Amino acid sequence: MSDNAHADAVRGVWAAVAAFVTWGFSPLYWHLLNAVPSLQIVLHRVVWSALFVAVVLLWRSGRGWLRQTLAGQPKLGWTLAASSLLIAGNWGLYIWAVNAGHVVEAALGYFINPLCNVVIGVLFLRERLRALQWASVLVALAGVVWLTVQYGGLPWIALTLAVSFSLYGLLRKQAHVDPVAGLGVESAFLFLPGLLWLLWIEGHGGGGFGHGYGVLNALLLALSGVLTALPLIGFAYAVRRIPLSVAGLLQYISPTLQFLIGVYLLGEPFDQARLVGFVCIWIALALFVVDGLRGGRPPREAELAEVV
């Protein structure tokens, strides 16, 4: 490897680490906004991230970026419209989970996500699982069943986050588009409905942007667009410079930090019964990673998801 290539790879690793650490610490950011209804946080996130991404794309590609992105691909717009709904729903559930005291279960969702991607690969892409992959899925399933029996119901937050993000990744895999431009198109679909909804809430006295929620909350809401877009752009930068296997392994930084924040900083309960379920998921992930390394294949979440 030449010196330039090595330096480029190092920059890619640091960009990936920065993206995953940002996502890992994001519960603290959303928790600061717990005085704001979760729906409004999501709507602000949609609007401000759309504006930020639009500025980036205008600077990078000029005013014709949208036309260039969709040119010659008649189905691309519909695919990105569907993926925009999935990612908006994922964002909404995640923010609600953080501010409702379910950070640990949300982190579980992103631990489950790569295993969910494996199942989706089998169901939709006709992929075949190797023995260790089957073992990892079955061990993870045992963990989910254990948690369901112990708590009298499915860990629906974790499962919904994992499934919605996996389906989002599937759609983005099938959409042959630059990651940042794809995010721009998704943002364009969400921007006007999100803005109109926010204006309606403000007009009917249900909002407090700029006054009722205070200056700090207003600033945090506006900066949520940067928090949303920058890690995505950093991840897109990283995966062009480092192997997907490396990016896939680094991706576990995010749910690990979220889990630690939920337990040790936000004081969420984590008893022995829940520990057993998490240990099953972690064993499943270990089997999954070993299979990927042994088979020379990157972890599946890096293959399917351009993230999120």
Side-chain angles (χ1 to χ4, degrees):
M1 179 183 295
S2 68
D3 289 343
N4 287 339
H6 175 74
D8 212 30
V10 169
R11 286 193 293 269
V13 168
W14 282 114
V17 169
F20 297 134
V21 168
T22 301
W23 282 318
F25 279 107
S26 65
L28 293 177
Y29 191 93
W30 305 124
H31 188 70
L32 290 173
L33 286 163
N34 59 7
V36 182
S38 297
L39 173 61
Q40 292 186 45
I41 298 175
V42 176
L43 293 174
H44 276 283
R45 187 178 184 182
V46 164
V47 169
W48 294 107
S49 63
L51 292 173
F52 181 78
V53 173
V55 169
V56 171
L57 288 169
L58 286 170
W59 170 74
R60 192 183 74 170
S61 305
R63 292 166 56 185
W65 70 267
L66 182 60
R67 183 179 65 255
Q68 294 168 10
T69 301
L70 298 177
Q73 300 190 70
K75 295 182 179 180
L76 180 60
W78 291 108
T79 300
L80 292 176
S83 66
S84 70
L85 294 177
L86 281 170
I87 197 60
N90 183 277
W91 288 349
L93 178 58
Y94 182 78
I95 290 171
W96 174 84
V98 168
N99 288 334
H102 300 293
V103 173
V104 172
E105 188 174 342
L108 176 63
Y110 291 108
F111 280 123
I112 294 174
N113 176 246
L115 304 172
C116 187
N117 287 338
V118 170
V119 175
I120 283 180
V122 172
L123 294 177
F124 293 98
L125 303 178
R126 298 181 181 179
E127 297 179 353
R128 294 185 178 182
L129 301 188
R130 296 186 291 276
L132 271 182
Q133 290 176 323
W134 274 117
S136 68
V137 170
L138 292 175
V139 172
L141 180 61
V144 171
V145 170
W146 170 267
L147 292 171
T148 300
V149 171
Q150 291 298 313
Y151 294 99
L154 281 171
W156 66 271
I157 296 172
L159 292 175
T160 304
L161 286 172
V163 171
S164 62
F165 198 67
S166 293
L167 290 174
Y168 171 76
L170 176 67
L171 289 177
R172 289 301 302 266
K173 179 179 175 64
Q174 295 175 332
H176 302 291
V177 62
D178 171 80
V180 181
L183 176 63
V185 176
E186 289 172 339
S187 300
F189 279 117
L190 296 172
F191 175 74
L192 188 57
L195 179 61
L196 291 176
W197 201 340
L198 270 180
L199 292 175
W200 186 88
I201 292 173
E202 292 286 343
H204 287 75
F209 181 69
H211 47 281
Y213 298 139
V215 175
L216 177 60
N217 282 335
L219 180 62
L220 290 173
L221 286 170
L223 290 176
S224 66
V226 177
L227 180 68
T228 298
L230 270 185
L232 289 168
I233 294 171
F235 181 75
Y237 174 90
V239 295
R240 295 174 185 271
R241 290 162 175 82
I242 61 176
L244 286 178
S245 56
V246 175
L249 292 174
L250 291 174
Q251 192 164 345
Y252 294 117
I253 292 172
S254 178
T256 301
L257 287 174
Q258 293 170 18
F259 168 77
L260 293 174
I261 286 170
V263 174
Y264 294 107
L265 293 183
L266 301 181
E268 292 187 12
F270 191 70
D271 55 22
Q272 187 173 0
R274 185 171 287 190
L275 175 62
V276 172
F278 267 73
V279 167
C280 287
I281 303 300
W282 291 330
I283 291 172
L285 286 174
L287 293 173
F288 179 70
V289 170
V290 167
D291 176 81
L293 294 176
R294 190 179 69 173
R297 293 169 61 96
R300 188 78 59 181
E301 79 276 20
E303 291 180 0
L304 281 182
E306 299 186 51
V307 172
V308 187

